[in-house]
Amino acid sequence: MSDLMPLQAVLNARSLSPVDGAGRRGCPLSDLRDRLRRAGLRPTRQRLSLGWLLFGRGDRHLTAEMLYDEAMRAKVPVSLATVYNTLHQFTEAGLLRQLALDGSKAYFDTNPSEHHHFFLEEEGEVLDMPECGISVDSLPEAPEGMEIAGVEVIVRLRRRKVSGRA
């Protein structure tokens, strides 16, 4: 099932995977509603539609503009401002993780767990770094009254320039 379907199809969608041991099939929309409620968010039509687009394709990284483009292709009637607001609400609720990779735009990760990233500078693409046991030694002491909440490693990549061959 495409994640870029019209809103009505999203609201009528059914899951293809069993939810319980009895083999009953669940509704992904109902699962998303429950997820939003557990995060303290009211499951509005716009949040459900954007949540479907965000979480329906597994873990990924995208900007507000990328999600807005997907919403337009899926015929979800939202403004870019609504997309930004929803992404920030989902981030505050712990459903997304905001990544500060490029000064001109924010990326959002649908996997909010602590993990590290590669950033492909030329493509503007973010990739999860494989679990490789990165350790960050000798962090500075936090200022008085503060504590370190986490450490994020972002490795910026660019293609090597190929020298001319004779």
Side-chain angles (χ1 to χ4, degrees):
M1 179 177 336
S2 170
D3 60 333
L4 297 180
M5 60 178 68
L7 177 61
Q8 192 56 46
V10 168
L11 298 177
N12 294 329
R14 296 279 180 245
S15 174
L16 299 176
S17 60
V19 172
D20 61 26
R24 286 184 288 237
R25 305 208 184 268
C27 174
L29 185 61
S30 178
D31 294 344
L32 180 58
R33 274 191 192 106
D34 292 344
R35 187 175 183 181
L36 292 175
R37 284 188 183 114
R38 282 192 308 272
L41 295 171
R42 198 165 49 92
T44 64
R45 190 174 200 80
Q46 289 176 324
R47 285 181 184 146
L48 287 169
S49 298
L50 293 173
W52 177 267
L53 293 172
L54 275 167
F55 304 116
R57 291 175 53 192
D59 293 338
R60 62 196 193 120
H61 312 90
L62 66 166
T63 64
E65 291 79 9
M66 292 163 68
L67 181 58
Y68 177 75
D69 289 344
E70 286 184 16
M72 291 300 97
R73 289 194 309 273
K75 310 234 185 301
V76 175
V78 293
S79 67
L80 183 56
T82 298
V83 170
Y84 271 104
N85 290 337
T86 302
L87 288 170
H88 288 292
Q89 291 164 354
F90 283 10
T91 300
E92 288 174 20
L95 299 173
L96 294 174
R97 184 170 163 201
Q98 186 171 350
L99 305 173
L101 303 172
D102 182 355
S104 63
K105 60 182 113 170
Y107 288 80
F108 295 86
D109 190 343
T110 59
N111 175 3
S113 70
E114 285 194 26
H115 61 283
H116 307 295
H117 296 93
F118 289 117
F119 179 59
L120 307 170
E121 290 182 331
E122 290 142 355
E123 292 88 349
E125 187 178 351
V126 181
L127 303 171
D128 286 337
M129 192 179 292
E131 186 64 42
C132 58
I134 289 177
S135 74
V136 180
D137 297 329
S138 65
L139 288 173
E141 272 196 43
E144 188 173 330
M146 304 294 282
E147 66 182 5
I148 295 174
V151 176
E152 184 175 320
V153 175
I154 299 168
V155 177
R156 296 176 178 278
L157 302 174
R158 67 175 159 249
R159 301 206 184 278
R160 289 187 185 130
K161 298 198 187 313
V162 179
S163 60
R165 294 187 175 139

